[in-house]
C-alpha cells in the first residue's frame, strides 16, 4: 500500500505555504508573467496555462501522489510561486514514510533572492523530518542547471551524482527528450546541523527585510 501525501499549511515569517486551491490561480497567473529568464531548464506555466496547471496538480493531490503548495509572500499576501512534496517512498521494513522529494518549485522573479525560497525549504524539510519522521529527503534538477544546483546546495543538500536519461527534459526545443538529473539529498542524521544553518540564513534575510522573527 502506497503512502498518501497530505501536507498542512506551513507558516513562516517571510512565506506561508498553503495547499494549492483553485483560488490561487489568479495570483499565480500574475507571478508567472514576470521576467522568465531563470526558467530555462524548468517548466513554469504561462498565464494562459495556469488554470490547467492547477487542475493537474489538484488531480495529483486527490490521489495522494503529490502534495502541492503555493508560496505566499507574507508581506504582500500574494501567491508568488509553487512547490510540492512528491515521490513518497515507504520503508521496506516496518512501514511508514521513509523518504520524500521536494520539487515542482518555482518563484516569480521578484521573489527570488528574498529569502522566501530558503524559508520555504526550511518549512518543508522541518515538517518532513520532524513530523513525518523521514529518513531522507530528495531534491533533483536538470544536471545542466547550474543556478538550480547552486540553490539546492545553499539550502544544505548534498550532491550525490548524476543519473543519465533520468526524467523528462523541460528545456525549450527538447520536447520528448530525456534529461540527465543531478540528485541531492539530506538525511535525518544531517538534519539538525542543516536546520541550524537554515535558521541562521533566515535570520539574516529577516534582518535585511526588517521582518520580526516568528
Amino acid at each position: 500500500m502506497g503512502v498518501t501525501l497530505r501536507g498542512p499549511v506551513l507558516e513562516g515569517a517571510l512565506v506561508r505555504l498553503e495547499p494549492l486551491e483553485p483560488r490561487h490561480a489568479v495570483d499565480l497567473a500574475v507571478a508567472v508573467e514576470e521576467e522568465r529568464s531563470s526558467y530555462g531548464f524548468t517548466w513554469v506555466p504561462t498565464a494562459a496555462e495556469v488554470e490547467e496547471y492547477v487542475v493537474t496538480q489538484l488531480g495529483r493531490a486527490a490521489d495522494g501522489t503529490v502534495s502541492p503548495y503555493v508560496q505566499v509572500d507574507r508581506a504582500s499576501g500574494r501567491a508568488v510561486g509553487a512547490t510540492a512534496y512528491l515521490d513518497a517512498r515507504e520503508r521496506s521494513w516496518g512501514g511508514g514514510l521513509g523518504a520524500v522529494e521536494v520539487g515542482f518549485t518555482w518563484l516569480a522573479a521578484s521573489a527570488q533572492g528574498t529569502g522566501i525560497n530558503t524559508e520555504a525549504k526550511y518549512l518543508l524539510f522541518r515538517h518532513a523530518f520532524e513530523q513525518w519522521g523521514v529518513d531522507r529527503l530528495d531534491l533533483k534538477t536538470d544536471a545542466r542547471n547550474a543556478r538550480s544546483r547552486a540553490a539546492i546546495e545553499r539550502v544544505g543538500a548534498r550532491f550525490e551524482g548524476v543519473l543519465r536519461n533520468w526524467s523528462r527534459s523541460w528545456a525549450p526545443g527538447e520536447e520528448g527528450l530525456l534529461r540527465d538529473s543531478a540528485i541531492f539529498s539530506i538525511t535525518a542524521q544531517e538534519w539538525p546541523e542543516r536546520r541550524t544553518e537554515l535558521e541562521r540564513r533566515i535570520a539574516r534575510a529577516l534582518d535585511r527585510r526588517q521582518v520580526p522573527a516568528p
Side-chain angles (χ1 to χ4, degrees):
M1 181 176 177
V3 176
T4 298
L5 285 175
R6 294 284 187 270
V9 173
L10 300 173
E11 293 273 3
L14 295 168
V15 65
R16 181 173 62 254
L17 299 180
E18 299 179 358
L20 177 66
E21 297 179 9
R23 64 183 174 84
H24 293 123
V26 173
D27 281 357
L28 294 179
V30 174
V32 297
E33 289 305 298
E34 293 187 18
E35 207 276 327
R36 294 175 61 92
S37 64
S38 64
Y39 303 152
F41 294 102
T42 303
W43 184 80
V44 176
T46 63
E49 296 168 327
V50 162
E51 286 194 14
E52 182 180 357
Y53 165 82
V54 170
V55 169
T56 299
Q57 289 293 74
L58 290 178
R60 293 167 172 156
D63 65 22
T65 58
V66 173
S67 182
Y69 283 98
V70 292
Q71 303 189 58
V72 176
D73 180 359
R74 294 291 300 268
S76 68
R78 298 181 63 87
V80 294
T83 190
Y85 289 119
L86 63 148
D87 195 20
R89 300 189 298 287
E90 281 187 296
R91 294 186 183 92
S92 58
W93 68 98
L97 182 60
V100 69
E101 181 179 341
V102 169
F104 290 142
T105 301
W106 59 269
L107 275 174
S110 61
Q112 296 174 21
T114 64
I116 285 176
N117 177 65
T118 300
E119 190 176 50
K121 292 294 194 299
Y122 169 77
L123 294 170
L124 291 164
F125 296 172
R126 185 178 67 181
H127 185 78
F129 284 116
E130 298 180 16
Q131 301 302 316
W132 287 342
V134 300
D135 306 308
R136 167 192 172 96
L137 189 139
D138 301 333
L139 302 100
K140 66 176 183 284
T141 189
D142 191 306
R144 299 166 294 180
N145 192 343
R147 180 189 182 112
S148 179
R149 290 177 65 159
I152 291 171
E153 289 182 334
R154 281 196 300 272
V155 296
R158 178 180 294 185
F159 174 61
E160 295 187 328
V162 173
L163 297 179
R164 297 180 298 163
N165 279 3
W166 182 249
S167 58
R168 177 180 178 180
S169 174
W170 298 107
E174 295 187 359
E175 293 77 10
L177 300 180
L178 295 172
R179 75 178 194 191
D180 295 348
S181 290
I183 308 299
F184 298 79
S185 71
I186 299 173
T187 67
Q189 292 82 3
E190 295 167 340
W191 171 239
E193 182 179 349
R194 301 299 190 271
R195 173 176 176 153
T196 298
E197 179 55 30
L198 284 169
E199 288 173 349
R200 290 195 191 103
R201 293 191 60 207
I202 293 165
R204 292 195 293 269
L206 292 173
D207 285 342
R208 289 195 299 270
R209 294 183 64 172
Q210 296 183 329
V211 175

